[in-house]
Amino acid sequence: MKCIITIELGTNAVRIFAFDLNGSVIGSMKGFYPTFYSQTDYSEQDPEQIFITMLYVLKNLLNEVIHARKYTVASICFSSSMHSLLVVDKNGVPLGNALTWADNRAKKEAREINASPLADTLYASTGTPLHPMSPLLKIAWLRHNEPDKFQRAGKFLSVKSYVIYQLTGAYLIDYSLACATGMMDIRTADWAEEALQYAGISRDQLPQLVSVFAGAGNLKKAYQNSLGITDDTRILVGSSDGCMATLGAGIWNSDKATITIEDSSAVRIAGNHILQDEKKRVFNYLLTDNCFISGGPSNSGSGIFEWFVKQFGDSTGAYDMETCLTTLLEEATKVPPGSEGLLFLPYLLGERAPIWNPDARGCFFGINIQHEKQHFIRATIEGILYEIYSIGRLLMEHRDIKGLSVNGSFATIPFCSQMIADMYNVPVYVTKHNNSVSVGAFLLAATEMGIYRTLDEAAAQVEIDKTYWPQELHHQTYMKYYDIFERLSYKLSDEFARIAELQAHRTQ
């Protein structure tokens, strides 16, 4: 019997699934690695720690499930979070930690380029907003602030490119992940010369651009022997987690959107056109020929609620998000929609779409003497979802959205799914498997193997498990508070900049 393994290199964890060729999960495991916040706008991870954790989890899954049940691994398909930057020397040795998507140190570079005519040129060619998250601006920051390291750079990689290089010796990046660097021309599928000139690097310092279906070569012999995998196993470069979550949600080329809420979150649509937003607020990623994933990302997601739990919940023992949510959601349900006038702006890590403000900061607003702990719990969840709703409103300027598919550990909690349906006032669908990133990677690998003829045919196999219908009265209540939420998000712009400046000085 053959199986397909999917490896998702997420923000704080690696999740590995094994599927049989019918798409049924036969095993899964995950492992965690830390993120380091040494300064207010810094967010880093150790690439070796990520690689070792991935190997450890993969080997355990192989030994305890795959080999034990006599499966043969036909294909291994990768996905990862976007916007990471890792600098390695000419021998492939990391010159420090990887910068994650949440790293905002390139704020100055982002302000300067967005105020220049080059911003329009780059958005037109790359289809990606210019923000400190962009590896393009992270490289520019490195050139300005760490010139010695910049001069020693052999390659500028994503974390996924580094992991694949370690396994096979090939420097590769797929089109969708390359789009997220802000350096790929989305129409020609080649590195954009204007971007390379701005960054001050050559195309030789970047990995080779390849299709999401591309093979990465054979596993090195040492890993074949250690993992018990032969060189017949296909190693697929795969795609980004966001694109895989959209494919795995099964909303391909429809009038529906996908909401994914993990550590960060995003609202996405799939189609055969680029969304050219005049205000440069929408991203576009090329997945395959004439197929684009468009949408808006948010720094707010379950990671923000996890912060709330650590500060104000019962965190005395080992826990994960699912366990903590179960306890705190019971408290949140005691409060009506709108949290009786308590609002939360969830900008603890700055914010991307739609306000694109790395200086944005979190705050509770409207506190009165009657508010209790359960109000703060519900307001925190509502604040995260208001922010995600604001991205949906942005996409609705370009396309009608008549339904939503939600995925991710946070989104598929019934309380949250119902809240999303009420805010958007459209039906919300939950698929049979809520691990849509892994399902998408399976569908990609299965299509590459010929099990499905196209990604459209593969996406059509995704089954809906439950539908949440909107409640009009709750929608009306949420809209009254959302209006205040949106006004605060923009009105506090000056105050966000001032407090961010003070916080930056505090850490120096």
Side-chain angles (χ1 to χ4, degrees):
M1 295 181 293
K2 293 183 177 180
C3 71
I4 293 172
I5 288 180
T6 64
I7 299 178
E8 177 194 356
L9 301 165
T11 302
N12 291 314
V14 56
R15 300 173 181 85
I16 304 182
F17 282 76
F19 296 84
D20 66 21
L21 299 191
N22 294 317
S24 297
V25 175
I26 56 177
S28 68
M29 291 185 182
K30 63 181 177 181
F32 296 91
Y33 32 78
T35 302
F36 310 111
Y37 303 100
S38 60
Q39 298 186 39
T40 301
D41 289 318
Y42 285 37
S43 177
E44 300 181 357
Q45 291 179 326
D46 183 343
E48 296 295 336
Q49 204 163 14
I50 293 173
F51 181 65
I52 291 169
T53 303
M54 185 277 297
L55 274 183
Y56 176 79
V57 176
L58 176 59
K59 189 164 185 173
N60 280 345
L61 182 66
L62 287 166
N63 287 339
E64 295 181 21
V65 179
I66 308 303
H67 298 326
R69 296 176 62 178
K70 310 299 183 187
Y71 276 94
T72 300
V73 182
S75 181
I76 297 177
C77 185
F78 282 89
S79 69
S80 75
S81 55
M82 291 174 270
H83 316 302
S84 61
L85 177 71
L86 174 66
V87 186
V88 299
D89 67 14
K90 293 179 181 177
N91 298 314
V93 178
L95 298 176
N97 287 332
L99 279 55
T100 78
W101 57 265
D103 194 287
N104 277 325
R105 71 185 66 182
K107 290 192 296 187
K108 179 172 178 287
E109 285 74 14
R111 280 194 297 269
E112 290 176 352
I113 198 170
N114 276 308
S116 76
L118 186 58
D120 288 339
T121 302
L122 288 177
Y123 185 71
S125 64
T126 68
T128 305
L130 293 159
H131 183 270
M133 72 173 185
S134 168
L136 169 66
L137 298 182
K138 288 169 176 166
I139 293 173
W141 181 93
L142 186 71
R143 180 159 60 93
H144 298 150
N145 295 276
E146 296 186 15
D148 291 343
K149 184 174 177 180
F150 182 81
Q151 291 299 327
R152 293 170 57 205
K155 295 281 186 185
F156 296 93
L157 304 175
S158 69
V159 166
K160 191 179 82 170
S161 296
Y162 175 71
V163 167
I164 290 175
Y165 167 74
Q166 288 289 78
L167 290 173
T168 69
Y171 286 117
L172 303 171
I173 186 168
D174 71 88
Y175 294 142
S176 68
L177 204 61
C179 285
T181 67
M183 293 184 280
M184 196 190 91
D185 189 318
I186 196 167
R187 291 177 176 81
T188 64
D190 193 5
W191 294 116
E193 286 298 333
E194 307 96 328
L196 300 186
Q197 289 175 15
Y198 168 77
I201 63 174
S202 68
R203 60 178 57 233
D204 293 340
Q205 291 179 286
L206 294 169
Q208 180 185 350
L209 290 163
V210 295
S211 158
V212 294
F213 294 113
N218 296 332
L219 280 179
K220 294 176 180 175
K221 276 295 179 186
Y223 294 120
Q224 289 183 26
N225 296 334
S226 173
L227 298 171
I229 295 177
T230 69
D231 57 9
D232 293 336
T233 299
R234 181 93 163 146
I235 310 297
L236 288 186
V237 174
S239 179
S240 67
D241 54 1
C243 290
M244 290 300 88
T246 309
L247 175 63
I251 57 93
W252 220 235
N253 292 319
S254 70
D255 55 5
K256 301 181 183 65
T258 299
I259 292 178
T260 303
I261 309 178
E262 291 286 359
D263 295 297
S264 60
S265 56
V267 187
R268 306 181 185 90
I269 55 176
N272 54 13
H273 293 93
I274 298 169
L275 300 187
Q276 199 72 31
D277 185 66
E278 290 184 0
K279 297 180 181 177
K280 303 187 284 290
R281 299 167 296 175
V282 177
F283 65 68
N284 297 274
Y285 301 143
L286 173 65
L287 186 65
T288 62
D289 292 342
N290 206 33
C291 177
F292 301 93
I293 306 298
S294 304
S298 170
N299 291 357
S300 306
S302 62
I304 301 300
F305 194 68
E306 187 173 359
W307 165 85
F308 180 90
V309 172
K310 286 180 179 176
Q311 309 309 318
F312 308 110
D314 178 10
S315 59
T316 55
Y319 65 89
D320 57 23
M321 278 301 298
E322 290 84 355
T323 303
C324 294
L325 280 170
T326 301
T327 303
L328 293 181
L329 286 176
E330 289 180 7
E331 292 293 309
T333 57
K334 298 174 183 176
V335 179
S339 301
E340 297 185 306
L342 183 63
L343 287 164
F344 175 61
L345 303 187
Y347 307 135
L348 273 62
L349 294 169
E351 189 51 288
R352 290 180 282 176
I355 64 173
W356 292 98
N357 185 350
D359 288 333
R361 293 292 184 263
C363 66
F364 286 98
F365 178 81
I367 305 170
N368 67 45
I369 198 70
Q370 293 182 319
H371 286 139
E372 301 176 3
K373 181 178 178 180
Q374 57 263 39
H375 291 92
F376 286 85
I377 300 170
R378 179 160 188 142
T380 301
I381 298 170
E382 288 180 345
I384 295 168
L385 298 183
Y386 281 141
E387 177 59 25
I388 293 167
Y389 173 66
S390 69
I391 299 173
R393 284 169 61 97
L394 167 59
L395 292 181
M396 289 177 203
E397 294 177 20
H398 297 273
R399 187 188 293 184
D400 289 338
I401 296 177
K402 297 180 179 177
L404 295 162
S405 176
V406 299
N407 56 66
S409 59
F410 193 87
T412 49
I413 295 165
F415 178 71
C416 296
S417 295
Q418 184 62 58
M419 203 179 288
I420 294 170
D422 294 343
M423 283 188 186
Y424 274 80
N425 206 26
V426 298
V428 162
Y429 309 100
V430 176
T431 61
K432 185 177 178 182
H433 298 292
N434 67 10
N435 51 305
S436 293
V437 175
S438 299
V439 172
F442 162 77
L443 294 175
L444 185 73
T447 303
E448 192 274 339
M449 291 173 62
I451 296 174
Y452 305 114
R453 288 173 296 180
T454 64
L455 290 181
D456 297 75
E457 181 179 309
Q461 309 305 312
V462 177
E463 298 179 37
I464 301 298
D465 182 54
K466 189 169 183 179
T467 302
Y468 295 85
W469 299 98
Q471 302 169 94
E472 180 61 29
L473 288 178
H474 288 182
H475 174 69
Q476 293 177 12
T477 299
Y478 284 132
M479 290 305 96
K480 292 175 185 175
Y481 289 115
Y482 173 75
D483 181 61
I484 302 172
F485 175 92
E486 184 181 40
R487 289 159 63 91
L488 285 171
S489 297
Y490 289 99
K491 276 192 170 184
L492 291 176
S493 177
D494 290 342
E495 287 73 21
F496 286 152
R498 293 181 64 183
I499 198 67
E501 179 70 15
L502 290 173
Q503 290 174 351
H505 288 157
R506 181 180 63 83
T507 56
Q508 291 178 356

